[in-house]
Amino acid sequence: MQQDDTRTALQLRSLVKSNGDLEVSVVQVPVPTPAANEVLVRVEAAPINPSDLGLLFAGADMTKASQRGTKDQPVVTARVPEAALKSMAARFDVSMPIGNEGAGVVAEAGASAAAQALLGKTVAALGGAMYSQYRCVPVEQCLALPAGATPAEGASSFVNPLTALGMVETMRNEGHTALVHTAAASNLGRMLNRVCIKDGIALVNIVRNGAQGDLLRALGAAHICDSSSPGFMQELTEALAASGATIAFDAIGGGKLASQILTCMEAALLRKATQYSRYGSPIHKQVYVYGGLGLGPIELNRNYGMAWGVGGWLVTPFLQKLGAAGMQRLKERVASELKTTFASSYAGELSFVEALDLTTIAVYGKIATGKKYLINPNKGVKASRP
Amino acid sequence: MQQDDTRTALQLRSLVKSNGDLEVSVVQVPVPTPAANEVLVRVEAAPINPSDLGLLFAGADMTKASQRGTKDQPVVTARVPEAALKSMAARFDVSMPIGNEGAGVVAEAGASAAAQALLGKTVAALGGAMYSQYRCVPVEQCLALPAGATPAEGASSFVNPLTALGMVETMRNEGHTALVHTAAASNLGRMLNRVCIKDGIALVNIVRNGAQGDLLRALGAAHICDSSSPGFMQELTEALAASGATIAFDAIGGGKLASQILTCMEAALLRKATQYSRYGSPIHKQVYVYGGLGLGPIELNRNYGMAWGVGGWLVTPFLQKLGAAGMQRLKERVASELKTTFASSYAGELSFVEALDLTTIAVYGKIATGKKYLINPNKGVKASRP
């Protein structure tokens, strides 16, 4: 992409200084001219995913944040705790753009046929800096939305859909036939529930209260276990025995939940065992931790034999292993089921100025199940054509 | 194999009753006649490995054990704690033979050429019931020892050698180039050190005190980190940066060590990172827990990004995946380096009666680095030819 410094547009930025000061601001940045294989997207909807929040606020305590700057270009400041700061040396004093994904209208296109074909179309994009009025991305990172779909409907076409599909593919690739998901009432969890119902895969949904269980029940979920229930371990063991699930994807991380899942998987497997082995069931039991909702260490009590694993899981390395053809197959499925399987719901749509309002931050900065917000970088901004 | 009830010999047995009583005894069992592809081994040396101890004493508190029975056939009794009992339902009221491996002289051989070729030879065997005066095993489970090797020299030809080689092969198969080992001054640890020196593989040895460090230093180990040192984390990070190790095999399990290893691996990797990633280094870091020296839960604090895994590791499933040809290759290496790379040392040789002496149990029942005992089922027994 080329840059023409005479035209600029707004972009959200996050900066961590080596002294631990966090600065979130709206800045004017040059608007690039797309290269042959690129398109310039006027972004109208970009979700605030948990992964975006981590980068945006860098673990700072936002309840003690303060605001300065101007009404149109506010600056929010806060302090990053020492413990979190240690792993951030590589981003010190680098003003970073944010926003993994979003959707909008292609305002300009490069010379290639593939780029030209998208001109004027509404597309979703996996861009890495989607909290921008205009974002220039290669055609491969775009997904043309089906006719009639709005940017808001297509804003979450990548992270959650590819994560849900990635979990199911990982399950299959590693030889399992059913799976467990924690924080199952989240946007992602409800999407995974729809994928599994459509594909006929048994899914054990672990929720954290009865209301979340009711929500999933209304959505047709067959196996629901409430981790706040006194009978949780027994109920989980029953659901695992019924479903045969031996792999779990855990959004929580901290605490005993991963270990409890492995314990119940082993108990379900040992029901079918006919011979004693001091090493436990030889069937491999796996928990992948893909989020960090729970702080504190993971505690593993190891009463599930020797055939077990716990590890981190991210969709990006999974997609890299999958390759271009596999990625294309997943993207096509997302497009064709955008308004059904892969539909997302949002609690509201924020302009840049609203997103930097301290009261609003207190709402969306808390990762609460089912309360996801969209940023619309062009909301409340004088209509501009770069 | 056929049985001829007119001839019997002694065998060590372990029995757990559903009420939690443990009974370890010496019993007379029929001596089988080898089938075509089998040999009958007069066992003269079988090591007491940690894995044997687990099955023999079933987690019972042996400091409170008592003895009854006769002088020649004593019976030791103790109580299995409730917590340990839960996972043992499948072995309740089944009198189990013990002894993963051992060596002795082939007293009888089946009709096949392969079996006949072993007649009179000193062989090691992976038998599963080697604490027996006579043990009948298929030829494939035997390893003919090199000329002049004694049963004591060949007694540990399988578990430790195949575990050490299995760790190195797992390291290679999973794309790592160097490895970490904990409890590194153990018999197994010293063997792994010799394998790595011979094969030119960088090994980071984690020991639990200075004396163990000195021992390994004298054996030519290049990287030694003492987990009791105040500078442990820094020293480990340096050793990991120097060696490039991103996989560890951990005998301890409980506590923070696995997490500390992952933390230091990440720190070593981030030294080379040029760009910030909120997901940490993309290089996968793995800790395999193969033992349970440390009680209590494993605590993982997850300050090492998303590319990490912790899991159980056992040599048996590894060998199953390796297949017959791979197994043969490893066995041949063990035979050719039996007195060098794969030499074991023992603190003593016990008869069955000595092994059931309460004072002796207090010594070998404690898994102490470097203090491994052999059982000789034919020691002090009137010479018998079944």
Side-chain angles (χ1 to χ4, degrees):
Chain A
M1 62 185 91
Q2 291 189 317
Q3 277 189 198
D4 169 0
D5 287 352
T6 60
R7 61 180 196 170
T8 63
L10 296 175
Q11 186 175 71
L12 201 67
R13 288 289 184 90
S14 172
L15 169 70
V16 173
K17 298 179 183 170
S18 56
N19 68 1
D21 281 342
L22 166 76
E23 230 177 68
V24 181
S25 59
V26 180
V27 298
Q28 287 282 352
V29 295
V31 173
T33 300
N37 197 42
E38 294 179 335
V39 293
L40 186 72
V41 181
R42 182 182 190 271
V43 181
E44 290 176 27
I48 308 178
N49 289 316
S51 51
D52 297 311
L53 275 180
L55 199 53
L56 185 60
F57 294 141
D61 180 359
M62 298 309 290
T63 63
K64 294 182 182 141
S66 59
Q67 203 198 60
R68 52 184 177 78
T70 66
K71 185 171 160 295
D72 288 345
Q73 281 180 252
V75 178
V76 169
T77 55
R79 290 285 302 165
V80 178
E82 279 304 316
L85 207 59
K86 270 170 74 174
S87 62
M88 285 181 199
R91 69 170 283 193
F92 285 163
D93 304 312
V94 179
S95 173
M96 299 184 74
I98 318 279
N100 275 315
E101 64 180 338
V105 178
V106 174
E108 294 177 10
S112 73
Q116 283 295 320
L118 294 176
L119 194 59
K121 295 269 170 65
T122 301
V123 298
L126 190 65
M130 296 302 290
Y131 299 166
S132 305
Q133 272 190 280
Y134 290 89
R135 176 73 180 122
C136 193
V137 284
V139 168
E140 298 77 39
Q141 286 172 232
C142 291
L143 173 67
L145 298 182
T150 65
E153 286 170 335
S156 297
S157 291
F158 288 92
V159 177
N160 275 359
L162 296 183
T163 300
L165 292 174
M167 288 173 177
V168 170
E169 299 243 337
T170 299
M171 176 202 82
R172 284 208 192 91
N173 292 345
E174 300 189 3
H176 307 268
T177 56
L179 74 167
V180 179
H181 188 226
T182 76
S186 65
N187 255 297
L188 173 62
R190 284 174 277 156
M191 194 176 284
L192 181 62
N193 180 53
R194 291 193 294 270
V195 170
C196 288
I197 288 174
K198 193 166 167 69
D199 294 2
I201 294 165
L203 170 68
V204 176
N205 296 277
I206 298 180
V207 297
R208 289 180 282 182
N209 57 56
Q212 293 176 348
D214 293 342
L215 178 88
L216 279 165
R217 207 163 285 113
L219 298 172
H223 304 286
I224 300 167
C225 299
D226 177 356
S227 60
S228 71
S229 153
F232 173 59
M233 295 293 281
Q234 184 60 36
E235 290 158 22
L236 182 55
T237 305
E238 294 301 332
L240 292 168
S243 64
T246 45
I247 185 169
F249 291 87
D250 174 30
I252 316 281
K256 297 180 198 289
L257 185 57
S259 198
Q260 288 174 324
I261 294 169
L262 292 170
T263 300
C264 294
M265 284 178 176
E266 180 74 358
L269 289 168
L270 287 184
R271 286 186 186 182
K272 296 173 200 154
T274 50
Q275 213 182 349
Y276 172 71
S277 162
R278 65 186 172 283
Y279 299 123
S281 161
I283 310 286
H284 185 78
K285 299 158 287 289
Q286 180 70 39
V287 176
Y288 282 119
V289 179
Y290 73 92
L293 295 181
L295 302 175
I298 299 175
E299 276 185 44
L300 303 175
N301 68 10
R302 281 187 304 154
N303 60 354
Y304 22 81
M306 292 299 281
W308 62 274
V310 173
W313 188 87
L314 274 183
V315 70
T316 315
F318 161 77
L319 292 173
Q320 279 162 357
K321 264 185 261 171
L322 191 68
M327 176 77 174
Q328 189 54 33
R329 170 171 59 82
L330 299 190
K331 275 166 72 171
E332 281 165 15
R333 176 165 181 189
V334 173
S336 72
E337 299 172 33
L338 187 66
K339 294 191 185 183
T340 52
T341 314
F342 301 107
S344 285
S345 65
Y346 303 95
E349 184 191 274
L350 309 172
S351 68
F352 276 161
V353 170
E354 287 163 342
L356 293 198
D357 176 77
L358 296 183
T359 324
T360 314
I361 288 174
V363 176
Y364 75 79
K366 217 173 16 192
I367 304 172
T369 289
K371 293 279 184 194
K372 182 172 285 196
Y373 286 78
L374 282 175
I375 285 184
N376 178 350
N378 284 288
K379 180 182 175 187
V381 177
K382 209 189 309 168
S384 67
R385 174 80 203 229
Chain B
M1 63 185 91
Q2 292 187 316
Q3 276 186 198
D4 170 0
D5 285 353
T6 60
R7 59 179 199 172
T8 63
L10 296 174
Q11 187 175 72
L12 201 69
R13 288 288 185 90
S14 171
L15 169 70
V16 174
K17 297 179 183 170
S18 56
N19 68 0
D21 282 340
L22 166 76
E23 230 177 65
V24 181
S25 59
V26 180
V27 297
Q28 286 282 351
V29 295
V31 173
T33 300
N37 198 40
E38 294 178 335
V39 292
L40 185 72
V41 182
R42 181 182 192 270
V43 182
E44 290 175 26
I48 307 176
N49 289 316
S51 52
D52 297 309
L53 275 179
L55 199 53
L56 185 61
F57 296 140
D61 181 358
M62 297 309 290
T63 64
K64 294 185 182 136
S66 58
Q67 205 198 58
R68 52 182 177 81
T70 65
K71 186 171 160 291
D72 288 346
Q73 282 181 252
V75 177
V76 168
T77 55
R79 290 285 303 164
V80 179
E82 279 304 316
L85 207 59
K86 271 170 74 174
S87 62
M88 285 181 202
R91 69 169 282 192
F92 285 163
D93 304 313
V94 180
S95 174
M96 299 186 75
I98 318 280
N100 275 315
E101 63 180 339
V105 177
V106 174
E108 293 176 13
S112 75
Q116 284 295 321
L118 293 177
L119 192 59
K121 296 268 171 67
T122 301
V123 299
L126 190 66
M130 295 303 289
Y131 299 167
S132 305
Q133 271 189 280
Y134 289 90
R135 175 74 180 120
C136 194
V137 284
V139 168
E140 300 75 40
Q141 285 172 234
C142 290
L143 173 67
L145 298 183
T150 65
E153 286 170 337
S156 296
S157 292
F158 288 94
V159 178
N160 276 358
L162 296 183
T163 301
L165 292 174
M167 289 172 175
V168 170
E169 300 244 335
T170 299
M171 174 201 85
R172 284 208 192 90
N173 292 346
E174 300 189 3
H176 307 269
T177 57
L179 74 166
V180 179
H181 187 227
T182 75
S186 65
N187 254 296
L188 172 63
R190 284 174 277 156
M191 195 177 283
L192 181 62
N193 180 53
R194 290 192 296 269
V195 170
C196 289
I197 288 174
K198 192 164 167 69
D199 294 2
I201 294 164
L203 170 69
V204 177
N205 297 277
I206 298 181
V207 295
R208 289 181 282 182
N209 57 56
Q212 292 175 348
D214 293 341
L215 177 88
L216 279 165
R217 207 163 286 113
L219 297 172
H223 304 287
I224 300 166
C225 298
D226 176 358
S227 60
S228 71
S229 152
F232 173 60
M233 295 293 280
Q234 183 60 34
E235 290 158 22
L236 181 56
T237 305
E238 294 300 333
L240 292 167
S243 64
T246 45
I247 186 170
F249 291 87
D250 175 29
I252 315 281
K256 297 179 198 288
L257 185 57
S259 199
Q260 288 175 325
I261 294 169
L262 292 169
T263 300
C264 294
M265 284 176 176
E266 180 74 359
L269 288 168
L270 288 183
R271 284 187 187 179
K272 296 173 200 153
T274 51
Q275 213 181 350
Y276 173 71
S277 163
R278 64 187 173 284
Y279 299 123
S281 160
I283 309 284
H284 186 77
K285 297 157 288 288
Q286 180 69 37
V287 176
Y288 282 119
V289 179
Y290 73 93
L293 295 181
L295 303 174
I298 299 175
E299 276 186 43
L300 303 175
N301 68 10
R302 281 186 303 154
N303 61 353
Y304 22 82
M306 291 299 280
W308 62 273
V310 173
W313 189 87
L314 274 183
V315 69
T316 314
F318 160 76
L319 293 173
Q320 278 162 358
K321 265 187 260 169
L322 191 67
M327 176 76 173
Q328 188 55 33
R329 171 171 57 81
L330 299 191
K331 275 165 71 172
E332 281 165 17
R333 176 163 181 190
V334 173
S336 72
E337 299 172 33
L338 187 66
K339 294 192 186 185
T340 53
T341 313
F342 301 108
S344 285
S345 64
Y346 303 96
E349 186 192 272
L350 310 171
S351 68
F352 277 162
V353 171
E354 287 164 342
L356 292 199
D357 177 79
L358 296 182
T359 324
T360 313
I361 288 174
V363 176
Y364 76 79
K366 217 173 19 194
I367 303 172
T369 289
K371 295 279 183 191
K372 184 172 284 196
Y373 286 78
L374 282 176
I375 286 184
N376 179 348
N378 283 289
K379 180 183 175 188
V381 178
K382 210 188 314 172
S384 68
R385 174 82 203 227

